[in-house]
Amino acid sequence: MSKFVSGLGRALSLLSNVLGNTREHPTIIISQGDERIVLPVTPSQYNVGIEQGNTSVTITQIGEALLFGNPKLTTLSFDGLLPAKDYSFIVGDKRKPIELISIIQKWMQSKQPVRVIISDGPINLMMAIMSFPYKKRDNTGDIYYSLFFKEYKDLNTSSVIDYTKSIDAVTGLKDRPNINTKPTTATLFNRGSDILDAAKKAYGNYRHYERIIQSNDLKNLAINNLSELRRLKV
């Protein structure tokens, strides 16, 4: 029976090779402008890093608490092969390794992001090529490499600082944005409160607690640990 099953498996495998595999191979595409590379050999695995900038703080009479932060930049890394010969397992570019290496190095030196797409995965992002080490192991001419990417976000600085100020009638120039506004003073908080309470009361959101810490040069989140209870700058 086992011989029959084994023989059937070999027959099915041979039939598959004859008819061709109709299932599309997953691919990784890297592009910049009108130029692109489809990796010749799709890596067997890749690593995606997704983190969030959460912060742990200590609050009086409560203990440790977690403050949710914003998502960090997504990372992607994998190891691969740039074949020198026309192997049967190539699913993408058939250009020589030196050509592909030259293109990737050119993209890195351009100081511009690339788009990375994984056909069967969740990645379709503008990313920066952070590192691209490669090496030759044998006399086949094949090149083994590692690629590490980090997500690129196009920062819109106009949304951070408002430059849409009125134009001065004399100089014809726009007023400078006031980015050095002195901190104001909040109402007195009861002893036993903490900086999170102060942030919530002053800004309507406890996430601004760092502003109060920096403005008052505080070393502790609890107000009642200060040598003198005073009016807080916010």
Side-chain angles (χ1 to χ4, degrees), residues 47-221:
N47 302 307
V48 178
I50 299 178
E51 297 183 52
Q52 188 155 326
N54 300 333
T55 304
S56 294
V57 297
T58 301
I59 303 176
T60 307
Q61 298 177 351
I62 294 179
E64 187 178 25
L66 180 67
L67 300 180
F68 286 102
N70 294 321
K72 294 187 176 182
L73 298 176
T74 300
T75 61
L76 170 69
S77 62
F78 52 80
D79 299 327
L81 169 69
L82 300 178
K85 299 180 181 179
D86 189 10
Y87 298 114
S88 61
F89 50 78
I90 293 179
V91 297
D93 267 288
K94 293 187 178 181
R95 284 176 282 185
K96 295 187 179 298
I98 189 63
E99 296 180 69
L100 300 178
I101 290 172
S102 177
I103 293 173
I104 294 174
Q105 288 180 330
K106 180 181 68 174
W107 288 344
M108 294 180 71
Q109 294 168 2
S110 72
K111 298 182 181 180
Q112 295 294 324
V114 297
R115 179 165 291 280
V116 183
I117 300 175
I118 300 180
S119 64
D120 68 337
I123 297 295
N124 184 347
L125 294 171
M126 296 298 292
M127 309 190 85
I129 304 174
M130 304 301 291
S131 65
F132 176 52
Y134 60 87
K135 60 185 176 182
K136 179 181 177 182
R137 293 182 183 172
D138 44 45
N139 293 324
T140 62
D142 297 339
I143 298 295
Y144 298 83
Y145 69 90
S146 296
L147 268 170
F148 179 73
F149 301 89
K150 181 171 283 189
E151 182 182 3
Y152 171 81
K153 290 185 178 180
D154 188 10
L155 299 179
N156 183 6
T157 55
S158 61
S159 65
V160 179
I161 301 176
D162 182 15
Y163 289 98
T164 58
K165 301 294 181 179
S166 59
I167 298 177
D168 188 279
V170 178
T171 64
L173 301 176
K174 291 183 178 181
D175 294 337
R176 280 191 174 187
N178 188 359
I179 58 176
N180 295 317
T181 304
K182 293 182 179 180
T184 58
T185 303
T187 57
L188 186 65
F189 295 94
N190 296 328
R191 185 177 296 276
S193 300
D194 55 54
I195 302 304
L196 297 182
D197 293 333
K200 179 69 175 178
K201 190 168 184 178
Y203 298 104
N205 192 321
Y206 63 79
R207 295 188 182 185
H208 297 289
Y209 72 95
E210 291 183 346
R211 293 189 184 181
I212 298 178
I213 292 177
Q214 293 173 359
S215 297
N216 295 273
D217 195 23
L218 301 180
K219 304 300 182 184
N220 193 291
L221 289 177

